[in-house]
Amino acid sequence: MPTLTRWFVKTSLAYFVLALLVGILLSLNAVGGLFPVYLHLLVFGWLTQLIFGVVFWMFPKYSRDRPHASERLGWATYILLNLGLILRAFAEPLQTNHPAPVWGWLLAVSAVLQWLAGMAFVANTWGRVKER
Amino acid sequence: MPRQSVWFVRASLLYLALGFTFGGLMLANKGLPVMPWAWSLLPAHMEFLLLGWLVQLAMGVAYWILPRFSSATPRGDERLIWIALILFNLGIWLVAIVIFIGPGWLTVTGRAAEALGVASFTLGVWRRIKPSGA
């Protein structure tokens, strides 16, 4: 299993646990504005990140020299995705409960980071979707 | 990877790109409210990512990876899978387009197309869920 895949998969498992803990807080109404965080930790932090890791490992080779296409783009996907999600996990509830320009800007930055992660993954994976 | 899987997976990657773009616009607007119209993208964002990306990727990989038959048609009746691809994606767009043109019956029709697409896929792969050697 490539190193990047191990990082993706282990991180996704950590998000799975974290998301379910956030779910407990959500059900206790402990903190407002947690539902979007809960949802995105699950579908993006856990599910999509797990998929990213396994696809990076298992999809047809891009070429003999570069079986995983661009390793750099792969690592960029990992860093952008997780930075974006972690930022969101703090900034989104803070912006909901105590709106302020700093949380607003951090949320916008988080949005850009997550978007870049998605585009990086698509760009790096497209060439590996082939019949042979 | 069989041709149908290539189509499913490429489509799922396009939906990932679209869904992330819509989501990014909504989240950015939540932080800096300069695009109030962004919230109207929510139904399409959800449809593109939950069905277009996640479910469709799973379908594409399942069709590729599930055990094959040792016959002239190792992956069963391919027509069912093509029908699934067409109906499922038609359904996703019918549901998503409601954000632009509105009538509620589009959502119902879209969901029906998605359901028929998945039913066709299920029929197509059912018998491939089998023990080794069978």
Side-chain angles (χ1 to χ4, degrees), chain A residues 36 40 43-44 47-48 51-52 55 58-60 88 92 95-96 104-105 107-108 110-111 114-115 118-119 121-122 125-126 128-131, chain B residues 1-3 5-7 9-11 13-14 16-18 20-25 27-28 30-33 45-46 50 53-54 57 61 64:
Chain A
H40 288 89
V43 294
F44 198 7
L47 275 176
T48 296
I51 289 168
F52 282 7
V55 163
M58 290 289 191
F59 264 24
R88 173 188 203 144
E92 198 164 11
Q95 175 66 355
T96 301
W105 275 101
L107 207 50
S110 152
Q114 289 172 79
W115 181 79
M119 299 310 114
F121 176 77
V122 173
T125 305
W126 190 266
R128 296 179 65 184
V129 182
K130 51 187 176 175
E131 288 183 56
Chain B
M1 196 187 277
R3 186 166 300 171
S5 291
V6 170
W7 279 84
V9 174
R10 284 187 178 161
L13 290 174
L14 291 174
L16 178 69
L18 275 170
F20 266 42
T21 302
F22 287 9
L25 288 169
L27 187 64
K30 198 170 186 180
L32 304 170
H45 167 69
M46 291 193 296
L50 292 174
W53 155 240
L54 286 175
L57 180 74
V61 173
W64 173 26

Side-chain angles (χ1 to χ4, degrees), chain A residues 24-35:
Chain A
I24 295 172
L25 290 177
L26 194 56
S27 60
L28 292 171
N29 281 316
V31 178
L34 272 186
F35 181 70

